[in-house]
Amino acid sequence: MEAAVVDPGSSLLKAGFAIPDQTPAMIIPTQMKRMLDDGSVTDNPTVDDVSVDPVYRGYVRDWDAMEDLLHYVLYTGLGWEIGNEGQILFTDPLCTPKANKEQLVQLMFETFNISGFYASEQAVLSLYAVGRISGCTVDIGHGKIDIAPVIEGAVNHIASRRFEFGGIDLTNFLAQELCKSNPRVNLNISEVEKIKQLYSCCAEDELAYQQTQDSCPVETHTLPDGQVIKIGRERYTIGEALFQPCLLGLEAHGIVDQLVRTISNVSSDNHRQLLENTVVCGGTSSMTGFEERFQKESSLSSSAIRPTLVKPPEYMPENLTVYSAWVGGAILAKVVFPQNQHVTKADYDETGPSIVHRKCF
């Protein structure tokens, strides 16, 4: 049986067996519904706290919910049999606390009785997915943005940057903007998330965005309850916020400037190798026009070496940006488990959870 690969994001969990040229077998929401005492699931908005988020801004924060989610994924989704569990590889977000890594390996060996474990950082895995071992990963996720220089398969943690905003903050911002332009329409956040995925896009450049103030096509969208909402300039404002975070009220530089500033903290000998092998990933980066805008901003960059995006190989699945870390994990699993570089049950029994820091890096 192939090793299982699990990439638990803040919005979506990607899981499947280690077959790198295929999409993950499971792509499901990470958010879970709380069950009532009678075993039913409630959709009643008047019931407090009906949803549970096991992963928040990239990190696991509710381990009981995570255990339930993994139980469903591994036994129901992937077909593991109790008593015949296999090997598993997890993706790690940038700067995962040591305690989280130890708790995960403990959960997998003591509760799920796995035969082998490995974990690797998402930044490294996203590069593996496009056939690189050095470069810079810009991961624009649901709950965070990570910018990480990777040299010979190792993240430069000193230079790396993590920002505590991502797709969910853009969704909340879109909700505010839509409420201003559609004051009589009642919106819930899940509907706004769907609207964002359907309509949000990036203007060609800052001037093109400014011109949307005077002239912008208006889309109409019908909500499930029959209400009709108009979507105009808001769809561009969401994409623009990645390049002008001041729109969100944040005192921060745009995504390309942040990339260049991150690389400036690395030895100048590596600048070209890193900037010319830039990988953009994460669900938010799949927004219409984002890649073109990123390239345009890169061409205007003050850096002597302009960031250049790496194109994924043609044989890789479509929409690779959404699950590149999972694909990289599937590639790595084909190496670490056959070569016995992983944490075995014997390793865990002898050393305990801290073994993860010695064998997974």
Side-chain angles (χ1 to χ4, degrees):
M1 182 168 61
E2 295 281 3
V5 179
V6 179
D7 178 21
S10 305
S11 174
L12 296 173
L13 180 143
K14 287 75 70 179
F17 293 110
I19 306 172
D21 58 354
Q22 295 184 12
T23 58
M26 297 183 72
I27 302 177
I28 61 172
T30 308
Q31 189 178 77
M32 303 162 69
K33 287 286 182 72
R34 193 182 301 278
M35 298 192 74
L36 301 178
D37 292 338
D38 62 1
S40 63
V41 176
T42 179
D43 286 316
N44 185 348
T46 61
V47 178
D48 291 336
D49 249 352
V50 295
S51 61
V52 183
D53 291 297
V55 181
Y56 179 73
R57 299 207 182 271
Y59 301 145
V60 178
R61 69 170 181 180
D62 186 330
W63 286 97
D64 290 339
M66 192 65 186
E67 181 182 332
D68 291 341
L69 181 59
L70 288 173
H71 194 279
Y72 169 76
V73 166
L74 296 174
Y75 295 111
T76 303
L78 299 186
W80 273 14
E81 296 177 358
I82 293 176
N84 189 30
E85 290 81 2
Q87 300 166 324
I88 193 165
L89 184 147
F90 277 86
T91 72
D92 271 343
L94 188 67
C95 305
T96 300
K98 285 188 173 183
N100 277 40
K101 293 183 180 183
E102 291 181 12
Q103 196 153 356
L104 178 60
V105 74
Q106 182 177 355
L107 175 69
M108 296 317 297
F109 277 112
E110 296 188 9
T111 302
F112 288 90
N113 197 33
I114 59 168
S115 57
F117 176 92
Y118 200 82
S120 185
E121 291 187 277
Q122 292 166 355
V124 175
L125 298 177
S126 292
L127 280 168
Y128 288 168
V130 295
R132 301 291 193 277
I133 60 171
S134 298
C136 193
T137 303
V138 181
D139 187 346
I140 310 172
H142 184 69
K144 47 77 181 176
I145 296 176
D146 291 337
I147 303 179
V150 179
I151 301 170
E152 298 295 320
V155 174
N156 184 321
H157 289 105
I158 294 173
S160 297
R161 297 185 178 204
R162 174 185 164 92
F163 302 94
E164 293 281 326
F165 79 94
I168 184 60
D169 301 282
L170 297 179
T171 302
N172 291 333
F173 180 51
L174 178 59
Q176 293 174 17
E177 296 299 301
L178 289 174
C179 285
K180 291 177 187 175
S181 56
N182 298 267
R184 295 184 179 180
V185 176
N186 295 318
L187 286 167
N188 62 52
I189 207 68
S190 63
E191 278 303 321
V192 177
E193 180 69 30
K194 290 175 187 173
I195 291 168
K196 184 187 77 173
Q197 292 171 4
L198 285 170
Y199 299 104
S200 63
C201 55
C202 288
E204 184 181 342
D205 53 30
E206 188 175 342
L207 178 61
Y209 172 69
Q210 290 171 353
Q211 289 171 345
T212 62
Q213 195 161 5
D214 301 318
S215 174
C216 182
V218 175
E219 301 273 358
T220 57
H221 177 80
T222 304
L223 299 171
D225 62 3
Q227 295 180 97
V228 176
I229 190 169
K230 292 184 177 180
I231 306 159
R233 192 182 189 219
E234 300 90 351
R235 61 195 298 225
Y236 291 98
T237 304
I238 297 309
E240 194 65 24
L242 292 169
F243 299 94
Q244 295 190 64
C246 59
L247 293 171
L248 294 171
L250 299 172
E251 294 183 11
H253 296 276
I255 194 79
V256 174
D257 283 344
Q258 294 288 10
L259 167 62
V260 171
R261 286 166 180 265
T262 299
I263 301 304
S264 69
N265 293 319
V266 179
S267 167
S268 58
D269 295 342
N270 299 116
H271 285 186
R272 182 173 298 278
Q273 183 182 35
L274 294 172
L275 285 169
E276 291 185 351
N277 290 284
T278 298
V279 171
V280 172
C281 56
T284 305
S285 68
S286 60
M287 188 185 303
T288 302
F290 175 82
E291 189 175 310
E292 292 79 5
R293 177 63 181 277
F294 189 95
Q295 293 281 36
K296 182 81 176 279
E297 294 290 331
S298 296
S299 70
L300 302 172
S301 167
S302 59
S303 171
I305 303 166
R306 305 289 163 77
T308 305
L309 293 181
V310 178
K311 295 286 186 182
E314 290 183 4
Y315 57 81
M316 281 299 182
E318 292 183 6
N319 300 322
L320 185 63
T321 55
V322 178
Y323 40 77
S324 58
W326 183 90
V327 170
I331 292 169
L332 184 60
K334 292 285 194 181
V335 177
V336 293
F337 292 112
Q339 295 184 5
N340 293 318
Q341 297 172 0
H342 59 285
V343 180
T344 65
K345 185 72 167 71
D347 292 331
Y348 180 80
D349 290 342
E350 181 181 341
T351 308
S354 63
I355 186 66
V356 72
H357 309 304
R358 291 201 348 236
K359 299 205 78 170
C360 304
F361 49 84

